[in-house]
Amino acid sequence: MSAKTEIAVRSEAPQSIADLEQSFAIAARQRELLENYIKERLKPGKHFYQVAGSKNSLTKEGAELICLPHGYKPSYFKEGGPDQPSEDDSPYQITVRCQLRKGESFAGEGIGSASSHVTRKDGQRVPRQPDPGLRHNATLKMAQKSAYIAATLNATA
């Protein structure tokens, strides 16, 4: 297999200094390719955004664009929070773990959580949706989105 088609596998320990040097060279090239891909394809406001005074934050669309050439597919696991929506407006949190895989190979994972309530600009906490079922679904989806972005960042460094 040529150096152009090899990929670095984190679970295999190098056997020699030459193997270690080759692993570093492959990792550096992978990083270079990813950086170029991101610069060419990811658009501000669509694939990432910036909160005032902080670094760029990846959107779900941006994470999908990064996972695409890697062939990573997500699986989600609910780690915490209610299984059913509450009938009242009491706030709750849902936590989700996302695992990324390429075929049967593990690539990375991330944890995300979301609250059933959001904070308005005036500081007041209000339900994410008025309907309890829609609120629960939206909270679960937000936690999945957060976990997917975290997994993408972890898997692709």
Side-chain angles (χ1 to χ4, degrees):
M1 190 181 288
S2 73
K4 290 181 182 176
T5 58
E6 290 181 355
I7 60 168
V9 178
R10 294 180 184 169
S11 63
E12 294 179 7
Q15 300 299 313
S16 68
I17 294 297
D19 290 340
L20 185 58
E21 287 173 339
Q22 184 178 16
S23 291
F24 279 125
I26 291 169
R29 181 67 178 130
Q30 285 176 323
R31 181 64 184 192
E32 181 183 325
L33 288 169
L34 181 58
E35 285 177 1
N36 289 338
Y37 179 81
I38 287 171
K39 286 177 187 172
E40 292 171 6
R41 294 195 172 64
L42 271 65
K43 307 286 185 259
K46 181 175 183 174
H47 301 114
F48 64 91
Y49 61 94
Q50 188 174 42
V51 178
S54 66
K55 61 183 182 176
N56 291 334
S57 293
L58 193 61
T59 66
K60 184 171 183 278
E61 280 185 282
E64 290 168 340
L65 207 55
I66 290 171
C67 286
L68 182 66
H70 289 93
Y72 295 158
K73 304 289 182 212
S75 295
Y76 299 98
F77 307 91
K78 191 158 93 40
E79 298 290 325
D83 290 328
Q84 298 295 320
S86 61
E87 292 302 320
D88 62 10
D89 281 345
S90 60
Y92 57 89
Q93 196 85 6
I94 295 179
T95 302
V96 172
R97 179 171 46 96
C98 175
Q99 257 186 15
L100 294 177
R101 295 189 167 275
K102 184 174 183 173
E104 296 298 315
S105 298
F106 173 82
E109 68 181 4
I111 300 286
S113 67
S115 173
S116 62
H117 286 54
V118 294
T119 305
R120 295 189 334 197
K121 288 182 182 180
D122 63 6
Q124 185 181 2
R125 303 256 314 144
V126 296
R128 187 175 290 282
Q129 292 276 342
D131 178 84
L134 293 176
R135 179 183 320 133
H136 191 74
N137 186 55
T139 305
L140 179 61
K141 298 294 184 207
M142 290 300 292
Q144 288 175 328
K145 184 189 315 187
S146 178
Y148 181 69
I149 291 167
T152 300
L153 294 172
N154 290 338
T156 62

